[in-house]
Amino acid sequence: MALDVELYQGESRRLVRTQPLIELLRPAFAEELAGHPGRPRFVLKLRNDPGPAGYEGDPGLTNLRPDFGYIHVAIQVEGRVVHQKPYSVNGLVGPVLAQVARKIAPEERHWAFRIAGLPAAEDAQRLPPVVDGADDIDVSRSARLSFGIRPAAEPQVPLLDLTGYGVVPEEGDEPVTVLLGPGVQRRLMDMELSKEVEEGGFLVGRPFRRADDPERYAVIVDEVLPAEHSGASLMHFTFTGDSFRAMSRTLGEHPPERQLVGWYHTHLFQTERTIGLSRTDIDLHRDTFRRPWQVAALINLTSTRRILSCYAASADWMASCPIRSLDDDTDSRRSAHPSLGHH
């Protein structure tokens, strides 16, 4: 099926350009095609995974079909695959369209685009599977049930002086400071991770309230537990009930102060947004990891690098968390970083 990209100008969204998607993408892959003489063949697979609302470049562009937010590109030359990788639609198409928009009307700030020929939004929805054996419980009638229901007691969270770990406390609105215990950064940076599907697991450690600001938290991550019995695809990672049961058994073998302080998963594409988590990631975190000190760690994989970022719930959004590896003793008093990585 041939797909076209439509470019719209102004607040009235007047259609000003229609161009085949494949023609738009060819210049974007000039570097990947260098050294491969012959006519390239592009195989494009758009994925029905919601992405960001638009391209945040100059000028910005609103994506009118963010429900198809990602695209897998494979390039063949003379029958041999010379490049294949998933991309966000905004990150791949946005810079090219922004250049076109600047040539059409340099002063215009309102632009939008859509990939035409996709299924209608209502046809693209996928309903969640029906859970066999589930039932709804009205907790207001718990006195008449054959079993009792009461809230679990919140664990006591002790105070922690960050200066004792070589971190200079800074004023800000970051809800959680993440300290990676001995060997944890090496574990995250060197562990075997798939480049075909997302992977993930759990972070075990100790939560604290910051001594300088008890309304904010710090967590020390002591161990990384890859999830068992998990589901995965190119764009999504899913925990199952068996994943949590296996984690709980392992956690039961730890000292009582060790707790589930968060989770991690990989992304196989680069993000153009300041926050790398997808809407699905945010919903998973808010529904499952509800304690204010639990964090979501994201490992962005590229062909040459791994970049680690952490996020925690803040109001109705996810805020970036500063990270400090306790293996890094080159400067005994330094601020925590927003991300860590290696080549």
Side-chain angles (χ1 to χ4, degrees), residues 41-333:
R41 178 175 180 266
F42 286 75
V43 180
L44 309 178
K45 294 181 180 179
L46 277 157
R47 295 185 174 271
N48 178 210
D49 292 290
Y55 169 67
E56 300 176 355
D58 181 23
L61 300 102
T62 299
N63 185 351
L64 302 180
R65 290 303 306 271
D67 49 316
F68 283 82
Y70 301 94
I71 182 171
H72 186 273
V73 179
I75 308 175
Q76 301 175 2
V77 177
E78 297 180 349
R80 184 169 62 92
V81 176
V82 298
H83 179 80
Q84 60 176 339
K85 185 179 177 182
Y87 296 87
S88 73
V89 169
N90 295 335
L92 188 59
V93 176
V96 183
L97 284 180
Q99 186 176 9
V100 173
R102 287 194 296 268
K103 291 181 179 179
I104 294 175
E107 303 302 321
E108 179 65 69
R109 309 312 302 166
H110 299 283
W111 296 91
F113 75 95
R114 78 178 183 110
I115 298 179
L118 297 175
E122 59 269 18
D123 297 334
Q125 293 180 356
R126 294 176 294 182
L127 296 176
V130 177
V131 179
D132 186 22
D135 198 2
D136 292 328
I137 298 176
D138 184 356
V139 296
S140 65
R141 299 173 58 249
S142 60
R144 286 176 282 175
L145 297 174
S146 59
F147 54 90
I149 299 174
R150 67 177 184 273
E154 287 293 324
Q156 294 294 318
V157 182
L159 294 174
L160 178 71
D161 184 359
L162 289 176
T163 61
Y165 289 85
V167 177
V168 180
E170 295 182 347
E171 294 184 1
D173 56 1
E174 300 89 352
V176 182
T177 298
V178 179
L179 306 179
L180 303 181
V184 171
Q185 181 181 2
R186 290 194 299 272
R187 168 77 164 143
L188 291 169
M189 293 295 104
D190 297 336
M191 65 191 301
E192 185 176 346
L193 295 170
S194 172
K195 295 184 179 180
E196 303 298 326
V197 298
E198 292 188 0
E199 294 197 69
F202 303 99
L203 303 176
V204 173
R206 293 160 286 163
F208 300 91
R209 290 179 294 129
R210 285 176 43 171
D212 63 299
D213 186 351
E215 296 300 316
R216 296 159 70 189
Y217 296 90
V219 295
I220 298 178
V221 180
D222 295 303
E223 190 172 351
V224 178
L225 300 178
E228 301 178 23
H229 314 291
S230 59
S233 69
L234 186 69
M235 297 298 175
H236 288 300
F237 175 83
T238 306
F239 293 112
T240 66
D242 288 336
S243 301
F244 282 93
R245 279 189 287 272
M247 180 274 299
S248 296
R249 287 195 299 270
T250 302
L251 194 58
E253 301 171 357
H254 286 68
E257 64 270 18
R258 296 288 200 274
Q259 299 184 45
L260 178 63
V261 296
W263 64 293
Y264 74 92
H265 78 298
T266 62
H267 272 189
L268 306 180
F269 58 92
Q270 291 177 289
T271 177
E272 71 277 2
R273 307 186 71 198
T274 55
I275 180 169
L277 298 178
S278 69
R279 183 73 256 177
T280 301
D281 300 335
I282 294 172
D283 291 342
L284 186 156
H285 184 85
R286 288 187 165 275
D287 291 343
T288 308
F289 299 86
R290 297 185 175 186
R291 290 188 170 127
W293 37 261
Q294 289 180 320
V295 298
L298 175 64
I299 303 174
N300 269 101
L301 301 180
T302 71
S303 59
T304 59
R305 299 193 70 191
R306 294 185 184 186
I307 301 174
L308 173 69
S309 305
C310 288
Y311 305 91
S314 176
D316 59 351
W317 192 234
M318 298 288 289
S320 178
C321 300
I323 309 170
R324 171 73 191 273
S325 173
L326 300 183
D327 286 327
D328 182 6
D329 57 1
T330 57
D331 184 348
S332 62
R333 296 186 62 82

